[in-house]
């Protein structure tokens, strides 16, 4: 796990400035505190900041160059099946100078060309330079566990693990991307290839850039929808695939820790890790001050059940503005979720003794854990039925069930998925800054994903959550743990497990508790029956019910202990309000101060958590603008 940076100049005869490259790479020093390296060959330069996990010897430092061919790589991530590939390469006559997965990656390319990507089981973002062909390949893993950004400027193409390295190159940063800002406020993430920086793009998951003779082309080397259509799983596949993923992801030359909340996902992870490793992982739990939200007792029960060493880390006020600003600086991105500082606190505690931690992200997206969102098709069908009722009765039904006007499936879903409606954002913005065509680009992104997914409404929602929601979540996990020099591994995002789970019908992932539960729910809003009349993540509960404590199987998902509405209008948010409403607000060129004040005044009369989430997103965008663009 590392930080990578590089530049490929348009003109091959132009020399690269080593000092400028090092200055950019220094922005990633927190990602790789163990070693640094620089490679320059004519118009190509790679820089690396290393966190040593596999083959910690200096011989495996990067950028790594193959002595026979001159091929060089700078690489962030882990190849979990590198030992199997290494054996295959050895049988083909290759010899090795290290015991690292980095050398295996290079020799795999030399043996099989760019098709070697399909052989890799891992989490990765890398750039590879082949001087024999004057060719640079830049690739990102299938599900987007490891981030990679790039920009094209006058001198050539630059890439990095985080955008805050790119903006150090002279002339790269031109200002904020307005569509990116609208996307962040609407969905807590910037969807698609855009970012919050004008001119900087994300390399999307499963994509590859090829650069030759100053020109670049992009291709999709792994397609989720195509893989789903070929998968025919059954329940027993789920446990086998997940157990295998955990076992492979325990591969490291350093001890591996695990996050344990005592919830379903992390408890299954703790079980598999304890069952498949001779050195059982140490488990860490964050303890919050609010008793009603403290999960420590559940986590202690699970740790005791599996005989695991358990450590509890106190979590302070998650909304401390100085802690938020520090993480925004390190991430180069505003915080979309108010629990990110808690994750950062945990990561800093774990990194004192460990370099690798297993986490449970991904299970909610692939196994329909967000039951309120995954019940959107149920609501859609009810809404369709209501259209046939007399207008007066239809109005009563829609009010009781919390349903708006009936519309297309995509619009119906986006109304529930959006955190901050676009028309509300536009009403606060200075004229011309947030335009309807900006909204349409975001709408088109989701429309394309619905079309790619095919299948029923549930399948389309599931595809969006894995293709759009999950990469943003994984970016947060990566950035937040790497800010503390800690590698996070996410076994639930193993590509074989994901495709098997996503091929299951929705009724197998989110089930009614009984044959009559669907009818019982008919006249109630989803929020009132979610996890009471239905069962989320059913394949996981079914396959692990014999090994998990009953308390884990029966407990509901617990929210994070910060009532955002009350916080937004209380004393704890004073500095955030000052940031937004003072005359020198960093958002002053984007939002109308008077409109913002009217909006806040109206919201504080009855401060719902929905209002609080919007305030959090606005304030974090302000912190980001203040840190980056001021």
């Amino acid at each position: 796990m590392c930080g990578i940076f590089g530049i490929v100049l348009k003109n091959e005869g132009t020399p690269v400035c080593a000092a400028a490259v090092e200055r950019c790479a220094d922005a990633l020093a927190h990602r790789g505190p163990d070693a640094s390296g620089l490679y320059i060959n004519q118009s190509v330069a790679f820089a690396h900041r290393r966190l040593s996990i596999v083959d910690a010897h200096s011989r495996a430092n990067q950028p790594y160059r193959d002595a026979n061919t001159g091929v060089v790589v700078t690489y962030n991530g882990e190849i979990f099946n590198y030992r199997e590939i290494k054996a295959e390469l050895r049988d083909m006559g290759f010899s090795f100078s290290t015991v690292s997965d980095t050398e295996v990656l290079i020799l795999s390319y030399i043996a099989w060309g760019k098709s070697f990507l399909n052989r890799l089981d891992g989490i990765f973002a890398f750039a590879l330079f082949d001087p024999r062909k004057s060719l640079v390949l830049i690739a990102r893993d299938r599900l987007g566990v490891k981030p990679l950004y790039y920009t094209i400027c006058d001198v050539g193409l630059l890439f990095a693990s985080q955008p805050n390295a790119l903006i150090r190159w002279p002339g790269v940063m031109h200002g904020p991307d307005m569509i990116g800002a609208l996307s962040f406020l609407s969905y807590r993430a910037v969807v698609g290839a855009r970012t919050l920086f004008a001119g900087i793009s994300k390399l999307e998951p499963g994509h590859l850039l090829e650069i030759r003779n100053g020109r670049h082309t992009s291709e999709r080397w792994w397609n989720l929808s195509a893989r789903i259509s070929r998968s025919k799983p059954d329940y027993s596949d789920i446990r086998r695939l997940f157990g295998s993923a955990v076992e492979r992801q325990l591969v490291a030359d350093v001890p591996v820790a695990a996050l344990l909340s005592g919830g379903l996902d992390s408890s299954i992870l703790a079980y598999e890790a304890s069952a498949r490793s001779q050195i059982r992982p140490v488990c860490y739990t964050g303890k919050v001050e609010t008793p009603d939200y403290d999960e420590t007792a559940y986590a202690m029960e699970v740790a005791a059940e599996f005989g695991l060493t358990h450590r509890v880390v106190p979590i302070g006020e998650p909304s401390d503005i100085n802690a938020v600003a520090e993480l925004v600086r390190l991430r180069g991105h505003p915080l979309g979720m108010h629990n990110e500082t808690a994750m950062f606190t945990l990561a800093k505690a774990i990194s004192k003794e460990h370099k690798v931690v297993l986490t449970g992200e991904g299970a909610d997206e692939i196994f329909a854990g967000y039951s309120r969102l995954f019940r959107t098709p149920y609501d859609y069908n009810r809404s369709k039925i209501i259209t046939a009722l007399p207008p007066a009765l239809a109005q009563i039904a829609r009010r009781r069930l919390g349903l708006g006007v009936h519309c297309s499936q995509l619009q119906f879903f986006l109304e529930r998925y959006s955190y901050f409606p676009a028309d509300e954002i536009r009403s606060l913005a200075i004229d011309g800054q947030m335009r309807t065509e900006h909204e349409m680009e975001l709408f088109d992104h989701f429309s394309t994903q619905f079309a790619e997914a095919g299948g029923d409404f549930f399948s389309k929602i599931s595809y969006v959550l894995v293709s759009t929601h999950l990469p943003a979540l994984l970016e947060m996990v990566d950035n937040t743990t790497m800010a503390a020099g800690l590698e996070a591994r996410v076994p639930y995002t193993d590509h074989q497990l994901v495709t098997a789970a996503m091929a299951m019908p929705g009724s197998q992932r989110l089930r009614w508790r009984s044959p009559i539960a669907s009818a019982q729910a008919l006249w109630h809003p989803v929020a009132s029956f979610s996890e009471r009349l239905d069962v989320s993540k059913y394949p996981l509960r079914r396959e692990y019910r014999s090994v998990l404590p009953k308390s884990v199987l029966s407990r509901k998902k617990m929210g994070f202990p910060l009532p955002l509405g009350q916080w937004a209008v209380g004393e704890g948010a004073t500095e955030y309000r000052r940031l937004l409403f003072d005359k020198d607000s960093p958002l002053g060129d984007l939002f109308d101060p008077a409109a913002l004040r009217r909006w806040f005044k109206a919201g504080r009369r009855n401060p719902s958590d929905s209002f609080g989430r919007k305030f959090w997103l606005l304030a974090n965008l302000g912190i980001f603008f203040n840190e980056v663009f001021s």
Side-chain angles (χ1 to χ4, degrees):
M1 189 64 62
C2 311
I4 64 174
F5 173 84
I7 181 168
V8 184
L9 298 181
K10 289 180 181 178
N11 300 318
E12 292 190 5
T14 305
V16 176
C17 175
V21 173
E22 291 281 29
R23 182 172 178 271
C24 293
D26 283 344
L28 306 171
H30 56 278
R31 297 183 64 94
D34 294 336
S36 62
L38 176 67
Y39 168 89
I40 296 180
N41 182 326
Q42 297 178 347
S43 57
V44 174
F46 290 169
H48 197 267
R49 297 294 181 266
R50 186 182 185 198
L51 181 67
S52 305
I53 292 171
V54 174
D55 191 358
H57 195 278
S58 60
R59 66 193 171 199
N61 284 349
Q62 298 184 47
Y64 184 84
R65 181 177 176 273
D66 176 62
N68 294 322
T69 62
V71 176
V72 64
V73 71
T74 185
Y75 147 61
N76 169 33
E78 305 291 345
I79 307 301
F80 301 127
N81 65 335
Y82 78 98
R83 291 171 178 166
E84 293 86 345
I85 296 175
K86 185 174 185 177
E88 190 175 357
L89 290 168
R90 185 172 278 123
D91 288 344
M92 295 171 63
F94 286 92
S95 59
F96 295 83
S97 303
T98 74
V99 292
S100 70
D101 56 339
T102 306
E103 186 177 18
V104 171
L105 191 153
I106 277 194
L107 295 182
S108 296
Y109 161 76
I110 294 169
W112 298 299
K114 65 182 181 181
S115 68
F116 85 103
L117 285 165
N118 293 299
R119 297 173 179 264
L120 304 182
D121 170 24
I123 52 177
F124 53 83
F126 68 80
L128 182 149
F129 172 51
D130 187 344
R132 302 168 303 174
K133 303 176 182 178
S134 296
L135 170 69
V136 173
L137 298 178
I138 303 175
R140 191 174 176 203
D141 62 53
R142 297 169 178 84
L143 276 299
V145 179
K146 306 316 302 171
L148 199 136
Y149 295 83
Y150 69 96
T151 185
I152 300 167
C153 58
D154 292 342
V155 295
L157 185 146
L158 295 87
F159 64 87
S161 297
Q162 294 180 199
N164 47 357
L166 296 175
I167 62 177
R168 289 193 174 196
W169 192 269
V172 164
M173 186 173 65
H174 306 295
D177 185 298
M178 290 298 103
I179 297 178
L182 177 61
S183 180
F184 171 76
L185 293 174
S186 297
Y187 307 111
R188 295 196 311 193
V190 183
V191 304
R194 284 189 180 271
T195 70
L196 285 163
F197 300 86
I200 294 179
S201 302
K202 289 193 293 282
L203 183 61
E204 294 190 78
H207 278 69
L208 168 72
L209 281 178
E210 186 171 335
I211 309 167
R212 197 195 301 260
N213 300 324
R215 298 180 179 179
H216 77 280
T217 57
S218 175
E219 66 179 270
R220 191 176 191 172
W221 69 269
W222 191 79
N223 188 314
L224 174 61
S225 59
R227 298 287 174 171
I228 293 171
S229 65
R230 301 174 200 165
S231 182
K232 299 185 182 299
D234 58 36
Y235 281 116
S236 61
D237 280 340
I238 298 304
R239 184 162 174 174
R240 175 182 60 82
L241 288 170
F242 183 65
S244 176
V246 172
E247 186 170 357
R248 293 194 306 278
Q249 297 196 26
L250 286 166
V251 172
D253 293 337
V254 295
V256 178
L259 290 182
L260 178 61
S261 69
L264 180 70
D265 311 333
S266 67
S267 298
I268 292 173
L269 180 57
Y271 164 75
E272 288 288 4
S274 66
R276 293 174 179 271
S277 176
Q278 293 181 344
I279 303 175
R280 295 191 167 193
V282 176
C283 292
Y284 289 82
T285 302
K287 180 179 176 62
V288 298
E289 297 175 357
T290 310
D292 291 344
Y293 292 89
D294 184 10
E295 299 181 286
T296 307
Y298 295 105
M300 290 175 66
E301 181 183 3
V302 173
E305 179 78 16
F306 303 140
L308 298 171
T309 301
H310 184 226
R311 293 182 183 158
V312 177
V313 179
I315 301 295
E317 170 57 58
S319 61
D320 176 80
I321 196 168
N322 294 318
V324 170
E326 178 191 8
L327 189 51
V328 167
R329 280 194 298 273
L330 289 168
R331 281 200 61 190
H333 197 279
L335 310 190
M337 300 168 63
H338 52 283
N339 62 353
E340 291 182 42
T341 53
M343 172 73 89
F344 187 36
T345 299
L346 265 174
K348 287 188 287 187
I350 297 170
S351 67
K352 293 177 181 177
E353 298 183 18
H354 294 84
K355 292 185 177 183
V356 180
V357 64
L358 301 178
T359 77
E361 276 75 18
D364 284 321
E365 288 74 17
I366 68 173
F367 289 110
Y370 307 122
S371 56
R372 297 183 188 184
L373 195 55
F374 277 102
R375 280 292 174 212
T376 300
Y378 184 75
D379 262 353
Y380 184 80
N381 290 334
R382 293 196 291 185
S383 177
K384 190 174 182 179
I385 293 171
I386 289 172
T387 59
L389 298 177
L393 186 57
Q395 185 177 7
I396 294 171
R398 290 190 182 280
R399 187 182 304 118
R400 176 180 174 85
L401 299 176
L403 302 176
V405 176
H406 192 68
C407 52
S408 70
Q409 287 185 350
L410 179 56
Q411 290 171 315
F412 200 85
F413 165 70
L414 290 179
E415 285 180 5
R416 283 150 181 76
Y417 185 58
S418 173
Y419 294 86
F420 207 146
D423 56 351
E424 188 176 356
I425 297 171
R426 196 168 0 100
S427 72
L428 303 175
I430 295 171
D431 287 346
Q433 292 286 43
M434 295 291 185
R435 301 192 295 272
T436 53
E437 54 262 39
H438 296 165
E439 298 170 34
M440 284 308 302
E441 179 173 316
L442 298 179
F443 184 86
D444 289 344
H445 166 82
F446 291 103
S447 179
T448 298
Q449 294 208 323
F450 262 41
E452 284 181 3
D456 61 14
F457 195 3
F458 186 100
S459 298
K460 293 173 182 176
I461 293 172
S462 182
Y463 188 81
V464 165
L465 287 179
V466 171
S467 298
T468 290
H469 184 94
L470 182 57
L473 176 63
L474 294 174
E475 178 188 40
M476 181 278 289
V477 172
D478 170 88
N479 286 183
T480 304
T481 54
M482 288 305 296
L486 179 70
E487 171 181 294
R489 297 182 180 178
V490 278
Y492 284 107
T493 65
D494 173 79
H495 67 279
Q496 296 178 68
L497 176 68
V498 170
T499 53
M502 298 263 300
M504 285 184 164
S507 59
Q508 292 186 30
R509 286 183 271 169
L510 177 61
R511 291 172 64 105
W512 295 106
R513 288 195 180 271
S514 69
I516 64 170
S518 176
Q520 290 176 315
L522 193 58
W523 195 236
H524 298 278
V526 171
S528 71
F529 69 73
S530 176
E531 296 189 72
R532 183 173 62 85
L533 294 177
D534 59 17
V535 182
S536 64
K537 295 183 278 194
Y538 182 76
L540 293 179
R541 298 182 196 276
R542 170 191 162 112
E543 291 305 303
Y544 287 93
R545 62 190 173 192
S546 63
V547 298
L548 294 180
K550 290 183 178 179
S551 61
V552 171
L553 292 167
S554 61
R555 64 177 292 210
K556 293 183 177 181
K557 185 186 291 292
M558 188 176 287
F560 198 75
L562 182 63
L564 280 174
Q566 294 297 326
W567 167 80
V569 301
E571 185 177 343
T574 300
E575 291 298 320
Y576 289 86
R577 293 195 296 271
R578 184 175 296 120
L579 181 80
L580 283 182
F581 302 136
D582 277 3
K583 62 180 180 179
D584 57 348
S585 167
L587 296 182
D589 292 335
L590 180 57
F591 290 103
D592 179 355
L596 272 180
R597 292 190 187 95
R598 288 193 300 270
W599 172 84
F600 185 82
K601 185 177 180 180
R604 76 183 309 162
R605 295 184 192 128
N606 182 23
S608 65
D609 276 357
S610 174
F611 165 74
R613 282 191 292 269
K614 296 171 187 175
F615 178 81
W616 174 267
L617 292 169
L618 281 169
N620 262 268
L621 190 64
I623 292 171
F624 171 75
F625 274 39
N626 199 42
E627 294 292 334
V628 175
F629 296 119
S630 63

